[in-house]
Amino acid sequence: MSNSLILYQSDILLHGRNPSNFRKMENATHELQGDSPICGDHMTLYLKVDNNRIEDIAFDSDACCAVCKASSSMMTEAIKHKSITDADTLARLFLNMVDDQVLTPADRKRLNKLTVFGRIVEVPSRIECAILSWTTLLYAIKVIHDDSKSNIAIEERYKHSLKVTAL
Amino acid sequence: MSTNVLEKMSAPFSTTFDVNTIRQHFPILSRPDINNHKLAYLDNAASSQLPKAVIDRLHQYHQFEHSNVHRSVHTLGEEATNAYESARKKVARYINANSESEIIYTRGTTDSINLVMQSYGRANLMEGDEILITALEHHSNIVPWQMLCQEKGCLLKVIPINSSGELKLDEFLRKLNKKTKIVALSQVSNAIGSVNPIEEMIIEAKKYGAVTLIDGAQGIPHKPVDVQSLDCDFYAFSGHKMYGPTGIGILYANSRMHDRMVPYLGGGDMILHVTFEETIYNEPPYKFEAGTPPISAAIGLGEAIDFISNVGIHNIESHEKQLLDYAHEKVSAINGVQLIGTAKEKASVMSFVMGDIHPHDIGSILNSFGIAIRAGHHCAQPVMKFFDVPATARASFSLYNTFDEIDALADGIKEVKRVFNQ
């Protein structure tokens, strides 16, 4: 198969066309805008956090491609009702995966359906689209924790591709 | 220089335009391996490909002729200087400049426009002055003027477009006034291909004494340009969109402007005499060309101009018009595809959207069939905003494109629809 078409298989296409949790949220505790100056994608991430748990999550966008929508959609499904710590771990695993780092079987199990994005390394021009929601999430976690130390490394790596505004 | 290289460089062209013969001049077009498909390169508005004559000329220069220009008394220095200056002559002749001193080498169109802003704009504009641009401009013909307005307290005014992507000329005439000091216009819109009536607009701008700058980046690769007949003050363009190398551009600056322009960058080559107390500047164009220039790229641009002259710009224009008409017909016939930009006069560029399928996805799927198009805002976000789209997919055609490639594009678009089940 031609390599760009791998993006438009199974879950990615499904979520790209019918994203989950794709809505505005009225009573969010955190609302962040994520912009990727490189690919032009733009999204708003809504979180409702209570007692360090993500009670609700949604995203909204009028300018995202299918890859970005799918990645955001699957992210919201994966971290809804999870603790902030678990969401943080998953975000780092996801970013490691699209950075083509070797994953342990345990990591792969944790990522579960999200491993479908592993092959995006074959289409480097679309990586920015896949990571926008995850880097926006990491920024949200940083805001929540106000603990910059734990997030510095990953943010430096992806800073060039992200502009986040907390509302 | 060895004679066989000379012979190869001046290989005769047939007088009738034959696209298959043309394609043989571009080695990259025979790549069969783009995701297991033959390359269909439809991203010429971003950058065009290089003919073998240009590639060979660059190679020849680097292999046998390289030296710095203007300074060395040795043979290589003289040869490099001659080749570099003869490229300037070619540019001057090609756009019918009155003198080579009007041809300033830059890094590209962006650099050329910034040169005018820094060198003419900062020295001449004052608070309350107005700069007039169009709603079709590339960011490179917007941002420099915003910077100038911020610094000087000038006002940036914009000529709007209608729903076809044509300039509203009545609004242009209404916005022109005695405070209008600079009118900066693109000849052809990079985002949607509209050809602007720059001839008439220059005449009108001059009635108010405004200085005129034409962004010709998307114009000169597709249309004949005669700066004396246009009578513009500045004309900016890039080498790499007209079959030349990257890193070289031209600012044509009419000699009547020279005394009103201060130097752009300070350094070597732009001076006649330097002491710590005082510097006497060199004559134009050198006054505006500090530092060692992109010598090989300039020579390559000269070669690209020879190539265009050999093919004939009128042949290029007419072939590209046929391609664009065919593409419009073929692609607009596909259900669910909407053309963005349907001006009566267009050149080379076809922008389109497909419902809620994002142009990035269109671009990726077309790429899987070897078709190279551009997806995004094309550095013209105000144009996107006007048409209320985040981005468009853009196919842009060149002299080496074929009707078969447009058929492939149309098939690819149908495949995009199939993937998204629309």
Side-chain angles (χ1 to χ4, degrees):
Chain A
M1 184 185 297
S2 302
N3 67 9
S4 311
L5 277 185
I6 58 166
L7 298 177
Y8 300 97
Q9 299 302 303
S10 61
D11 277 353
I12 297 185
L13 187 60
L14 208 69
H15 282 265
R17 282 167 50 194
N18 293 301
S20 307
N21 301 305
F22 186 61
R23 60 187 155 86
K24 288 185 169 56
M25 193 191 290
E26 294 299 330
N27 52 354
T29 54
H30 298 84
E31 183 181 328
L32 293 96
Q33 308 271 342
D35 276 293
S36 168
I38 291 179
C39 69
D41 281 339
H42 168 87
M43 70 171 306
T44 307
L45 181 67
Y46 305 92
L47 292 168
K48 195 174 165 192
V49 180
D50 184 29
N51 199 17
N52 270 327
R53 250 171 62 95
I54 297 171
E55 294 299 340
D56 197 8
I57 179 165
F59 77 103
D60 183 38
S61 160
D62 53 6
C64 274
C65 60
V67 174
C68 178
K69 270 194 188 131
S71 172
S72 309
S73 166
M74 292 173 75
M75 177 187 87
T76 60
E77 287 188 353
I79 66 168
K80 201 170 185 173
H81 304 311
K82 291 266 166 61
S83 71
I84 295 290
T85 319
D86 284 352
D88 185 89
T89 309
L90 207 57
R92 285 154 201 284
L93 280 179
F94 186 91
L95 292 171
N96 285 343
M97 174 180 69
V98 300
D99 202 31
D100 210 11
Q101 295 182 26
V102 181
L103 299 176
T104 66
D107 290 345
R108 298 191 72 83
K109 203 172 161 197
R110 250 183 144 149
L111 283 164
N112 192 9
K113 284 183 182 174
L114 297 169
T115 51
V116 70
F117 284 96
R119 292 194 65 185
I120 205 160
V121 295
E122 294 168 43
V123 196
S125 62
R126 302 304 297 278
I127 289 178
E128 304 298 335
C129 311
I131 66 171
L132 178 63
S133 57
W134 291 96
T135 44
T136 307
L137 173 69
L138 272 182
Y139 200 92
I141 294 171
K142 184 182 163 183
V143 171
I144 292 163
H145 271 303
D146 196 27
D147 172 16
S148 57
K149 277 177 202 156
S150 65
N151 289 310
I152 281 173
I154 212 125
E155 274 175 20
E156 283 301 317
R157 178 143 49 102
Y158 291 103
K159 210 158 59 181
H160 72 284
S161 66
L162 181 69
K163 197 184 91 210
V164 180
T165 341
L167 296 180
Chain B
M1 191 186 291
S2 68
T3 48
N4 60 349
V5 172
L6 272 174
E7 274 163 20
K8 198 162 45 187
M9 280 159 43
S10 54
F13 283 77
S14 103
T15 44
T16 55
F17 185 89
D18 173 38
V19 72
N20 292 317
T21 312
I22 294 286
R23 288 179 72 83
Q24 284 165 18
H25 287 265
F26 292 84
I28 202 169
L29 299 180
S30 57
R31 271 191 68 169
D33 60 331
I34 311 294
N35 296 314
N36 300 320
H37 285 78
K38 218 176 114 200
L39 170 68
Y41 187 76
L42 303 178
D43 193 17
N44 295 287
S47 198
S48 53
Q49 299 297 347
L50 279 70
K52 192 156 185 310
V54 174
I55 299 167
D56 287 349
R57 187 66 192 88
L58 293 171
H59 187 63
Q60 165 81 14
Y61 171 78
H62 285 128
Q63 234 180 352
F64 298 116
E65 302 169 19
H66 173 66
S67 168
N68 211 331
V69 290
H70 298 150
R71 280 182 274 278
S72 314
V73 293
H74 52 72
T75 301
L76 290 184
E78 283 170 5
E79 283 181 3
T81 304
N82 285 341
Y84 176 75
E85 288 302 331
S86 106
R88 195 193 304 272
K89 287 196 185 91
K90 289 177 187 181
V91 174
R93 265 202 307 274
Y94 186 69
I95 65 172
N96 193 28
N98 195 35
S99 138
E100 291 140 53
S101 67
E102 299 179 318
I103 304 301
I104 302 166
Y105 283 131
T106 65
R107 287 188 297 134
T109 309
T110 299
D111 193 29
S112 296
I113 296 172
N114 276 276
L115 194 161
V116 176
M117 184 277 271
Q118 297 281 353
S119 168
Y120 175 81
R122 291 183 75 194
N124 292 280
L125 267 68
M126 290 184 298
E127 192 177 343
D129 285 345
E130 295 179 6
I131 299 165
L132 192 50
I133 61 173
T134 85
L136 290 170
E137 299 311 310
H138 187 282
H139 294 166
S140 60
N141 202 22
I142 302 174
V143 181
W145 307 120
Q146 285 174 331
M147 290 162 69
L148 184 63
C149 286
Q150 206 159 21
E151 181 185 322
K152 295 283 180 180
C154 306
L155 194 64
L156 186 65
K157 289 193 165 177
V158 183
I159 308 160
I161 49 176
N162 64 24
S163 58
S164 311
E166 293 162 336
L167 292 180
K168 292 185 175 172
L169 292 178
D170 52 334
E171 296 267 354
F172 167 58
L173 296 177
R174 204 168 304 146
K175 284 183 198 297
L176 267 177
N177 65 66
K178 280 187 179 156
K179 288 190 217 156
T180 312
K181 298 299 172 193
I182 296 177
V183 175
L185 313 163
S186 53
Q187 186 174 16
V188 175
S189 152
N190 77 304
I192 58 171
S194 314
V195 177
N196 295 326
I198 54 168
E199 296 84 353
E200 300 162 52
M201 294 175 81
I202 291 168
I203 291 169
E204 294 301 328
K206 282 189 176 302
K207 289 183 185 165
Y208 291 88
V211 162
T212 50
L213 176 144
I214 303 302
D215 170 356
Q218 303 290 345
I220 197 166
H222 310 293
K223 306 177 90 50
V225 171
D226 180 333
V227 287
Q228 289 194 65
S229 131
L230 282 174
D231 202 23
C232 54
D233 297 301
F234 299 105
Y235 187 96
F237 60 100
S238 299
H240 71 100
K241 294 188 200 288
M242 52 188 300
Y243 319 112
T246 55
I248 186 74
I250 298 292
L251 176 68
Y252 160 80
N254 189 299
S255 54
R256 64 180 169 246
M257 305 307 294
H258 290 177
D259 288 343
R260 300 160 71 185
M261 295 164 71
V262 297
Y264 177 34
L265 300 170
D269 233 27
M270 52 82 72
I271 50 87
L272 282 181
H273 185 72
V274 176
T275 65
F276 286 117
E277 287 72 37
E278 189 189 35
T279 290
I280 299 169
Y281 300 126
N282 203 339
E283 291 296 309
Y286 309 109
K287 180 179 169 185
F288 307 107
E289 295 176 351
T292 296
I295 305 165
S296 62
I299 295 169
L301 173 59
E303 197 63 35
I305 284 175
D306 285 347
F307 177 82
I308 295 174
S309 304
N310 284 335
V311 179
I313 187 69
H314 292 285
N315 288 332
I316 295 174
E317 193 179 18
S318 110
H319 177 67
E320 289 176 352
K321 182 171 174 13
Q322 289 175 47
L323 290 172
L324 187 63
D325 288 347
Y326 183 67
H328 276 173
E329 186 191 318
K330 201 79 198 184
V331 169
S332 60
I334 303 171
N335 222 341
V337 178
Q338 185 199 344
L339 296 181
I340 300 289
T342 48
K344 275 191 208 80
E345 293 292 323
K346 280 186 70 172
S348 169
V349 169
M350 179 178 69
S351 243
F352 61 95
V353 292
M354 300 176 68
D356 58 1
I357 304 175
H358 195 281
H360 283 157
D361 297 316
I362 302 173
S364 276
I365 293 172
L366 291 177
N367 180 53
S368 67
F369 297 102
I371 302 164
I373 63 148
R374 185 79 153 194
H377 52 59
H378 318 296
C379 292
Q381 284 175 333
V383 179
M384 301 296 113
K385 196 175 170 196
F386 176 83
F387 286 101
D388 197 24
V389 291
T392 71
R394 180 188 74 184
S396 51
F397 310 108
S398 181
L399 87 166
Y400 42 65
N401 290 125
T402 64
F403 295 99
D404 286 350
E405 289 176 320
I406 290 166
D407 288 340
L409 171 67
D411 290 344
I413 289 171
K414 288 173 191 158
E415 194 58 28
V416 173
K417 281 183 66 176
R418 197 193 58 74
V419 168
F420 280 86
N421 210 2
Q422 287 189 359

